[in-house]
Amino acid sequence: MQTNIEQTILRNLLNDEKYMRKVLPFIKPDYFQGVYRTLFKEAGKYVAKYNKLPTAETLVIELQETNMSDEQFQMAMDIVPQLYSGESIDENWLLNATEKWCQDRAIYNAVMESISIIDGKHDTLTKGALPDLLSKALGVGFDTAVGHDYIENVEERYEFYHT
């Protein structure tokens, strides 16, 4: 089976706790497609409940409890071993690739939802929601530097006043 970015992201989420803690708050299940969405959801539930990464065995057991079709379950079973094997990936590249993938998926999802709104097939949103929908999608990013770094600012002021 060929590796894709979804699989690479999932593999690193399941094997690299530092990476998982950095990107998990920004990744939505809707960004994943097919069986990858179920794998992501189950891994996320495990992390939320136990505050640690699931092993391959625990992930398989959790997947057995879902209501996936037999075909989806078999696909998941084919993918799981690949999620727990593989070489280490450069952290900077992985973070950049994950952020770009999240941005691309958010924009794609917003465009698809916009089309359903324009076609009158959306249950709750109207055309007035389009600017906000697209604006949120365009704003997806991993930037956590919001506000002031209090410690850094105190150190800068201390140096300023004592030089």
Side-chain angles (χ1 to χ4, degrees), residues 11-21 53 94:
R11 181 168 51 83
N12 284 279
L13 282 171
L14 293 170
N15 293 290
D16 184 345
E17 190 165 349
K18 183 179 169 187
Y19 169 77
M20 182 269 298
R21 296 207 183 273
L53 301 173
L94 182 60

Side-chain angles (χ1 to χ4, degrees), residues 29-155:
D30 293 348
Y31 295 168
F32 291 92
Q33 295 179 334
V35 71
Y36 291 107
R37 183 177 295 171
T38 303
L39 289 164
F40 175 76
K41 283 181 179 180
E42 291 306 314
K45 285 180 196 176
Y46 187 93
V47 169
K49 185 172 184 177
Y50 299 105
N51 198 28
K52 63 181 185 177
L53 301 173
T55 63
E57 184 176 1
T58 56
L59 183 59
V60 167
I61 292 168
E62 292 297 319
L63 288 169
Q64 290 171 347
E65 302 296 319
T66 64
N67 60 352
M68 289 192 291
S69 70
D70 290 340
E71 182 181 342
Q72 289 175 320
F73 182 76
Q74 189 54 53
M75 286 177 65
M77 292 304 99
D78 291 343
I79 293 170
V80 168
Q82 295 175 40
L83 297 177
Y84 287 92
S85 65
E87 61 189 49
S88 179
I89 293 181
D90 176 62
E91 183 180 341
N92 289 329
W93 177 88
L94 182 60
L95 287 171
N96 288 334
T98 303
E99 182 175 27
K100 182 185 179 317
W101 177 78
C102 287
Q103 291 166 342
D104 291 347
R105 293 303 303 162
I107 292 168
Y108 175 82
N109 290 346
V111 167
M112 296 308 289
E113 190 169 11
S114 297
I115 290 170
S116 73
I117 292 169
I118 291 168
D119 288 345
K121 296 177 181 174
H122 200 283
D123 296 335
T124 56
L125 298 178
T126 65
K127 291 178 185 175
L130 293 177
D132 187 47
L133 188 67
L134 294 171
S135 179
K136 283 181 182 177
L138 291 169
V140 168
F142 288 5
D143 186 14
T144 57
V146 177
H148 298 285
D149 186 341
Y150 180 75
I151 301 300
E152 186 177 303
N153 290 344
V154 168
E155 289 172 355

